[in-house]
Amino acid sequence: MKTAPAAWAFAAPALLIITVFFFVPVLAALAVSLTDFDLYALADIRNLRFVGLHNYWRLLHTPDFWRALTNTAYFVVVGVPLSLAASLATALLVNSRLAYLAGLFRTALFAPVVTTLVAVAVVWRYLLHTRYGLINYALAHLGIHPIDWLGDPHWALPAIILFAVWKNFGYNMVIFLAALQSIPADLYEAARLDGASLWQEFGRITLPMLRPTLLLVSILTVAGYFQLFAEPYVMTQGGPLQSTVSVLYFMYEEGFKWWNLGSASAVAFLLFLIILAVTALQLRLARDAQAR
Amino acid sequence: MSTSGARALLHALLLGAAAITLFPLLWMLSVSFMAGGEASAFPPPLLPGHATLANYRQLFGQQNIGRYLTNSLWLAALTTLLSLLFNSLAGYAFAKLHFRGREPILRVLLAALVIPSQVAMLPLFLLMKWLGLVNTYAAVVVPAMAGIFGVFLVRQYALTIPDELLEAARIDGASELRIFTSIVLPALRPILVTLAVFTFLGSWNDFMWPLIVLTDQDLYTLPIALATLSREHVQDYELMMAGAVLTVLPVLVLFLALQRYYIRGILMGSVKG
């Protein structure tokens, strides 16, 4: 092909950058996770030893790592369905034929997505304040006693989940909206002629037509929620009593606070494997549901 | 239910949802104009008694936030510019030019989208240390100069450029670079705006990586400075809210101006995935 040299020249810079700053580090992470890379190795590479799967084995026997894993799983299992429900519900509202100013509502509901996470996490930290926070103030009107949202180990993670749903649901709402708009209108007209209720329309037409989008969105959201980090970093610093330490927070401390880079790389890889396994499981479940 | 009843309920729900998303942002803005200590009261005040710019003055004066604002701005601008260049070149090549290995490379890139970026982070830090780039802006900009998502975004759009257009230019004797600058780039303009908004927002809002590689306070970006400040000034509601406003406002305005392009990026990203 005569255009080959130019083609390579065009593609090469980006490929080089992606290779050097992404692919090589990913492979290196695998290699480092099999060593005892620590502060001593950082000072002098000759102190580095190959330790096989020791880092992985030790992590699986570290209660703090399990704690981080359980916290993250809790965040995903509770946060993702809440997030998707909020996205779908608001998408249905905005998409309604009866809605005025749908574009304006869409923008308002989407706004938190583009805000800087650190900044709005700071805002929420004050909204969640036990004494002066508006959330407890509002709850007091419903007769609920003040909750120490970020200071109580039972409430810190739920509070972070609420915040994350607020921050993220607009993203998937936009995707659902596009999918809703691509459902042919005559399907609904036919259903209405048959006297179907709104609820039947949703169950028999909307939900089945949204199935591919639902699968895609849940895969992306699950993967994203597994990467929880900045929320606990800003809002709780992992506390109280480790109740908001996520896997990435654990990796950050292990790697950049204690400089156990070998062990931290193993954490990163375990997280990757878990995300991969959960994605595969979701695809499998979707296929089985399709087959039925 | 009658249509007007349904309509009233629908709008009540919509207004409720919009109130929930907008309230924290409006509250942030309001508190940022309060005098020091005013927000720490019960019941929590919604509006400042006497609006004041004291918090902003303190941020720009004592806290040197102008510096972080500039850092964030030009880091995001530079990253955006460079990533536009490299991603558009590669995206176009993958869509329209033939070269050996194009399809297999494309498949590898697509598969690699599932790898979380944090997996690369620790060795990337070591690489930056080895290159002597830790604590420089290069450590933030260089890895972000090209990305799989960007290449794919441009490629998907470039596929729609008619081959005849490119062939005609080649027959006229135009060089490949000439074709790229005078035919391809103008045709790609909408998707380049999309990519620019995405990259700018991503760079502006990025937290974990700058937190790791920028340890010198003078180099901090706004989110890092704000996170540090909020650990030191936990009690200063009003000051922190002013800092949050300065961090959020630029990206919110950018989004409002270019919303259409941003949303297209989300939709193209989700179709491809």
Side-chain angles (χ1 to χ4, degrees):
Chain A
M1 307 255 171
K2 61 181 190 302
T3 57
W8 261 111
F10 280 19
L15 289 178
L16 191 72
I17 294 163
I18 293 169
T19 306
V20 173
F21 298 104
F22 186 66
F23 282 111
V24 170
V26 167
L27 294 175
L30 186 59
V32 170
S33 78
L34 304 175
T35 69
D36 68 346
F37 206 120
D38 58 10
L39 207 51
Y40 300 106
L42 206 58
D44 185 347
I45 197 73
R46 275 170 301 180
N47 289 324
L48 190 69
R49 281 182 312 146
F50 177 80
V51 295
L53 293 175
H54 177 74
N55 285 324
Y56 294 90
W57 188 87
R58 213 182 31 115
L59 276 174
L60 295 178
H61 293 83
T62 305
D64 282 354
F65 176 70
W66 280 103
R67 188 72 208 259
L69 206 56
T70 330
N71 290 340
T72 310
Y74 179 24
F75 182 72
V76 171
V77 168
V78 179
V80 171
L82 274 178
S83 207
L84 293 188
S87 306
L88 184 55
T90 46
L92 288 168
L93 292 176
V94 173
N95 190 52
S96 165
R97 289 172 299 119
L98 301 176
Y100 294 120
L101 302 173
L104 207 59
F105 278 115
R106 189 190 65 175
T107 304
L109 296 174
F110 188 80
V113 175
V114 292
T115 58
T116 310
L117 201 149
V118 172
V120 287
V122 169
V123 173
W124 271 71
R125 219 176 55 186
Y126 292 123
L127 288 174
L128 291 164
H129 193 279
T130 316
R131 278 181 65 195
Y132 306 126
L134 278 157
I135 291 178
N136 274 349
Y137 182 65
L139 290 177
H141 288 290
L142 304 174
I144 298 171
H145 288 293
I147 296 170
D148 187 5
W149 290 100
L150 298 175
D152 182 333
H154 295 293
W155 285 110
L157 204 50
I160 289 180
I161 290 174
L162 274 184
F163 166 67
V165 171
W166 173 83
K167 170 90 174 75
N168 298 320
F169 85 89
Y171 192 93
N172 290 331
M173 175 191 76
V174 167
I175 298 176
F176 280 135
L177 256 177
L180 285 172
Q181 278 155 9
S182 71
I183 300 177
D186 44 347
L187 283 180
Y188 290 109
E189 268 155 39
R192 233 163 276 144
L193 286 179
D194 291 345
S197 69
L198 268 180
W199 188 243
Q200 283 171 323
E201 274 182 30
F202 178 74
R204 305 258 170 85
I205 302 174
T206 312
L207 217 46
M209 293 296 280
L210 281 184
R211 188 171 271 166
T213 312
L214 262 170
L215 174 66
L216 172 80
V217 155
S218 55
I219 287 176
L220 293 178
T221 311
V222 165
Y225 274 38
F226 263 114
Q227 297 168 35
L228 174 69
F229 173 73
E231 292 90 339
Y233 184 92
V234 177
M235 296 171 85
T236 56
Q237 279 126 70
L241 298 175
Q242 309 268 301
S243 63
T244 56
V245 171
S246 65
V247 174
L248 276 185
Y249 196 94
F250 184 86
M251 179 197 98
Y252 174 81
E253 296 225 307
E254 190 76 358
F256 296 105
K257 192 169 169 191
W258 311 116
W259 297 103
N260 291 324
L261 294 176
S263 159
S265 295
V267 174
F269 251 89
L270 279 176
L271 180 68
F272 175 38
L273 290 179
I274 291 169
I275 294 177
L276 216 55
V278 174
T279 304
L281 184 71
Q282 284 173 285
L283 285 170
R284 177 73 184 275
L285 288 175
R287 224 185 359 250
D288 289 354
Q290 194 86 58
R292 253 186 283 118
Chain B
M1 204 188 317
S2 68
T3 307
S4 62
R7 182 168 270 154
L9 178 67
L10 174 76
H11 287 90
L13 290 171
L14 277 171
L15 282 171
I20 291 172
T21 54
L22 294 185
F23 179 78
L25 301 176
L26 295 172
W27 183 77
M28 160 185 84
L29 191 65
S30 171
V31 173
S32 78
F33 295 120
M34 288 184 189
E38 194 180 341
S40 307
F42 195 86
L46 288 180
L47 291 170
H50 292 282
T52 166
L53 288 173
N55 302 308
Y56 292 94
R57 253 182 249 124
Q58 194 190 338
L59 281 176
F60 280 100
Q62 283 149 271
Q63 303 296 344
N64 208 8
I65 206 157
R67 163 111 214 182
Y68 309 128
L69 198 66
T70 329
N71 289 351
S72 271
L73 258 178
W74 93 259
L75 259 182
L78 187 66
T79 307
T80 305
L81 220 64
L82 289 169
S83 85
L84 279 183
L85 174 69
F86 292 123
N87 286 328
S88 63
L89 279 170
Y92 163 63
F94 275 109
K96 287 292 171 186
L97 301 175
H98 299 275
F99 55 93
R100 271 170 74 92
R102 188 178 83 169
E103 297 311 310
I105 294 175
L106 211 53
R107 275 196 296 274
V108 170
L109 290 179
L110 196 58
L113 275 173
V114 300
I115 307 174
S117 64
Q118 293 91 350
V119 173
M121 230 170 233
L122 296 141
L124 194 57
F125 176 81
L126 294 175
L127 179 65
M128 289 300 168
K129 193 168 152 17
W130 183 67
L131 292 171
L133 295 179
V134 169
N135 234 343
T136 68
Y137 289 140
V140 180
V141 175
V142 170
M145 287 191 306
I148 300 176
F149 175 77
V151 171
F152 270 97
L153 202 63
V154 175
R155 174 184 174 267
Q156 291 308 96
Y157 200 85
L159 286 172
T160 62
I161 300 174
D163 284 320
E164 297 78 37
L165 209 61
L166 305 172
E167 272 318 312
R170 270 183 205 119
I171 289 165
D172 288 347
S175 71
E176 289 299 322
L177 195 63
R178 180 71 210 259
I179 293 174
F180 179 75
T181 52
S182 55
I183 299 176
V184 176
L185 275 187
L188 289 178
R189 194 154 67 196
I191 202 65
L192 294 184
V193 178
T194 298
L195 183 60
V197 184
F198 254 86
T199 315
F200 192 92
L201 289 185
S203 167
W204 183 278
N205 292 340
D206 195 13
F207 183 63
M208 196 170 180
W209 179 242
L211 177 74
I212 290 168
V213 286
L214 301 177
T215 48
D216 185 350
Q217 192 152 0
D218 277 346
L219 299 180
Y220 278 3
T221 60
L222 261 181
I224 314 296
L226 191 66
T228 312
L229 207 63
S230 82
R231 285 187 168 197
E232 292 161 6
H233 292 258
V234 183
Q235 303 305 328
D236 299 340
Y237 269 47
E238 301 79 12
L239 188 71
M240 293 317 307
M241 289 305 107
V245 169
L246 289 174
T247 311
V248 166
L249 208 58
V251 278
L252 213 50
V253 169
L254 184 72
F255 163 71
L256 287 176
L258 299 171
Q259 170 167 195
R260 187 158 60 91
Y261 295 95
Y262 186 82
I263 287 181
R264 169 175 32 218
I266 294 181
L267 296 179
M268 283 184 70
S270 69
V271 170
K272 168 211 66 206

